[in-house]
Amino acid sequence: MREDQDRFRRYRPRADVEQRRRVIVALLRQHPDGLTAREICEATGVSKYLTASAISGLFTRGVLHKCGHRYVLTVLDPHEA
């Protein structure tokens, strides 16, 4: 039982990160002009540190880019917009 709990704890943070990223992507879909990191933080209710981490991961993967101080979703296919 103890091993199962330890294993669950190891994988849960990754699931939490992915959930935060999905929330940010959904939020940015509602704001095509983008949002600042602060606006994303306030809208999601997630701490500044965790929001910055999730944004960084999305940026690194090319899911979003910066336009001035705002983060905007990257459009990979013009038909998806």
Side-chain angles (χ1 to χ4, degrees):
M1 179 75 170
R2 179 86 171 144
E3 286 182 34
D4 290 338
Q5 289 174 341
D6 290 341
R7 189 175 308 133
F8 179 72
R9 285 186 190 134
R10 275 194 299 245
Y11 292 110
R12 184 163 174 84
R14 184 155 180 78
D16 291 345
V17 170
E18 293 304 321
Q19 177 63 24
R20 280 191 291 277
R21 290 176 182 162
R22 284 192 292 272
V23 168
I24 290 170
V25 168
L27 180 63
L28 288 174
R29 281 190 182 127
Q30 297 172 6
H31 297 274
D33 293 332
L35 295 169
T36 65
R38 175 179 280 182
E39 290 169 333
I40 293 170
C41 182
E42 290 172 357
T44 61
V46 176
S47 75
K48 184 177 173 180
Y49 171 78
L50 293 174
T51 298
S53 176
I55 289 171
S56 176
L58 291 167
F59 187 82
T60 300
R61 289 168 178 77
V63 176
L64 52 87
H65 65 275
K66 280 192 93 168
C67 185
H69 293 287
R70 296 183 169 276
Y71 289 94
V72 180
L73 287 177
T74 301
V75 178
L76 301 176
D77 179 353
H79 302 288
E80 292 179 4

